[in-house]
Amino acid sequence: MITGDASYIKKMNRSLILKEILKEGMLSRADVSKATALTRATVSGQVADLLDEELVIEKEIEYNLVGRKPIMLSINAEAGYAVGIDLEFDQISFAISNLQGSLVLSDTIKLQNSSYPDILSLLVAQIKHYQERFAASRYGIVGIVIAIHGLVSTNEVIHYIPSFDWHDVPLKSDLENALGLQVKLENNANLSAFAERVFFHHETDDLLSVTLYSGIGMGMMINHSFFRGQDGFAGEIGHMIVVPGGLPCNCGNKGCWEKYASETSVFQLLHDRKPEAEITYAQIERWIQDKDPEVTKLMEQFIYYLSIGLNNIINIYNPEVVVLDSELLRIYPDSLPTIEQNLNSRVSHYREIKISTMGKKSCALGACAIAIQNFLQVPVLNLPYKG
């Protein structure tokens, strides 16, 4: 039972009600009362406030039985909008979602350079454009979350972005001063992990998401919260050494996992071995379908080294679910069964390994979901995935 002063209890009850409505999509007041174990009087009072604030709307549903039509409650999706931004090495991807997590708009802007002042100006201009575009809604832009492909400290200062060579950059405070809005920075792998849990794995407490694109990052959800480490830099799993004395890495070590099992490593090897070809996912898929021996061998090697690292992290964290985010794994036949066959340790325990169906969208959608959760102040967010 929740105890404390009246305002705190009211806030907690409100969070419980919003959580259940979001989870189910539509609920009657009676169903809300059952799901939350709150009295009907408490639910009615809270719902009246939420209707006044236009966060919840009422809907009548088709009802063929005798009696009153049930009045269903749902989140007012158009009451406000969340902005998720993926700050990649060559482009910035913007996603705008409504309060039910459905994508309503997406934009991509190619970057001409990695200059901090130029990128800051670009972000400010684009966010102001979204502020104007959605100003007519009750709450406008409810939150801005930016995915950083690098080290973000616990106080949300960018410690290092390798692709931009940015060190100790105050992007959060600079944007907040320019916009007058609260901005949140988060590691890209963490946001991918959050998206997987919010949109797909609703009953999962412990989830790892491993992203395999430009490098290898890992987002860790433990008891519905991020595991960050002392300074916020946990999850740089791509720099785990899997080949002692192996290929040199920009981090200063040799034999790092991402030098062998990231998509970048595969693309680089293909560029070296097929210099005349344009290396794209579509071309790699054609080679795979044609059973090109060189490409087949490279993919087998990629999956072999990927399996070595997965064996290590599964033994370290004992996760419930592991999600792999890789376009190469999606296009390679039987990639998941092959990985699972390689994980034959008797001490290695996990419930499920999946390949992400969201792909690179997971990062920006996870950013939108964080903004929604912070705005609605719900303890655990569950949303339907609508593609």
Side-chain angles (χ1 to χ4, degrees), residues 264-310:
T264 295
S265 69
V266 175
F267 272 71
Q268 185 59 58
L269 286 170
L270 285 171
H271 275 295
D272 294 343
R273 298 180 188 186
K274 295 178 179 287
E276 76 290 345
E278 182 183 5
I279 311 299
T280 63
Y281 288 116
Q283 179 59 67
I284 294 172
E285 187 169 16
R286 284 193 290 271
W287 282 328
I288 290 170
Q289 290 170 351
D290 294 340
K291 294 182 169 50
D292 181 291
E294 199 161 34
V295 174
T296 300
K297 184 177 180 180
L298 280 179
M299 287 299 299
E300 289 173 351
Q301 178 180 290
F302 165 63
I303 290 175
Y304 168 74
Y305 282 113
L306 175 59
S307 301
I308 290 175
L310 290 175

Side-chain angles (χ1 to χ4, degrees), residues 184-224:
K184 181 173 180 57
L185 306 186
E186 186 57 79
N187 175 266
N188 66 298
N190 281 348
L191 290 174
S192 291
F194 191 73
E196 295 291 345
R197 205 221 59 77
V198 165
F199 291 104
F200 288 101
H201 300 279
H202 294 169
E203 306 304 321
T204 301
D205 294 329
D206 301 313
L207 178 146
L208 302 181
S209 174
V210 182
T211 57
L212 303 170
Y213 297 110
S214 57
I216 299 181
M218 184 171 71
M220 293 175 279
M221 298 291 299
I222 298 176
N223 291 327
H224 302 294

Side-chain angles (χ1 to χ4, degrees), residues 40-325:
R40 293 198 178 194
T42 298
V43 169
S44 293
Q46 290 276 358
V47 167
D49 290 342
L50 292 169
L51 289 168
D52 287 342
E53 296 168 33
E54 296 180 33
L55 288 174
V56 166
I57 55 176
E58 293 180 317
K59 293 182 179 180
E60 281 192 357
I61 63 170
E62 291 296 324
Y63 189 66
N64 297 322
L65 301 177
V66 176
R68 291 179 56 189
K69 289 183 179 180
I71 303 297
M72 307 299 285
L73 304 168
S74 66
I75 297 297
N76 182 3
E78 284 71 45
Y81 296 87
V83 179
I85 302 173
D86 189 2
L87 185 55
E88 301 178 78
F89 76 96
D90 61 344
Q91 65 184 26
I92 306 179
S93 300
F94 298 86
I96 315 298
S97 81
N98 62 27
L99 293 186
Q100 292 180 353
S102 296
L103 192 64
V104 298
L105 178 67
S106 61
D107 291 309
T108 299
I109 298 176
K110 293 291 183 181
L111 293 177
Q112 304 303 315
N113 59 65
S114 60
S115 162
Y116 177 68
D118 289 350
I119 291 177
L120 176 63
S121 297
L122 191 157
L123 287 169
V124 169
Q126 193 68 13
I127 293 169
K128 283 184 176 179
H129 165 70
Y130 295 137
Q131 283 183 281
E132 293 172 4
R133 179 160 180 172
F134 295 100
S137 62
R138 171 70 183 263
Y139 295 98
I141 299 300
V142 302
I144 301 161
V145 179
I146 303 178
I148 303 300
H149 293 245
L151 301 179
V152 184
S153 67
T154 50
N155 59 354
E156 297 180 55
V157 170
I158 296 173
H159 179 64
Y160 180 46
I161 298 182
S163 58
F164 294 160
D165 197 30
W166 287 1
H167 299 265
D168 300 318
V169 172
L171 179 62
K172 174 183 169 70
S173 58
D174 286 348
L175 282 174
E176 289 179 340
N177 291 335
L179 297 166
L181 293 172
Q182 187 173 358
V183 175
K184 181 173 180 57
L185 306 186
E186 186 57 79
N187 175 266
N188 66 298
N190 281 348
L191 290 174
S192 291
F194 191 73
E196 295 291 345
R197 205 221 59 77
V198 165
F199 291 104
F200 288 101
H201 300 279
H202 294 169
E203 306 304 321
T204 301
D205 294 329
D206 301 313
L207 178 146
L208 302 181
S209 174
V210 182
T211 57
L212 303 170
Y213 297 110
S214 57
I216 299 181
M218 184 171 71
M220 293 175 279
M221 298 291 299
I222 298 176
N223 291 327
H224 302 294
S225 299
F226 292 128
F227 178 78
R228 301 180 185 278
Q230 178 178 325
D231 300 309
F233 304 153
E236 290 299 316
I237 202 71
H239 299 288
M240 167 177 60
I241 295 172
V242 296
V243 181
L247 296 171
C249 180
N250 292 335
C251 76
N253 279 324
K254 293 182 178 181
C256 290
W257 192 25
E258 67 180 40
K259 300 302 291 185
Y260 297 86
S262 66
E263 292 196 349
T264 295
S265 69
V266 175
F267 272 71
Q268 185 59 58
L269 286 170
L270 285 171
H271 275 295
D272 294 343
R273 298 180 188 186
K274 295 178 179 287
E276 76 290 345
E278 182 183 5
I279 311 299
T280 63
Y281 288 116
Q283 179 59 67
I284 294 172
E285 187 169 16
R286 284 193 290 271
W287 282 328
I288 290 170
Q289 290 170 351
D290 294 340
K291 294 182 169 50
D292 181 291
E294 199 161 34
V295 174
T296 300
K297 184 177 180 180
L298 280 179
M299 287 299 299
E300 289 173 351
Q301 178 180 290
F302 165 63
I303 290 175
Y304 168 74
Y305 282 113
L306 175 59
S307 301
I308 290 175
L310 290 175
N311 179 77
N312 292 344
I313 64 174
I314 287 169
N315 282 329
I316 292 169
Y317 292 103
N318 181 212
E320 190 174 353
V321 174
V322 180
V323 181
L324 306 176
D325 190 0

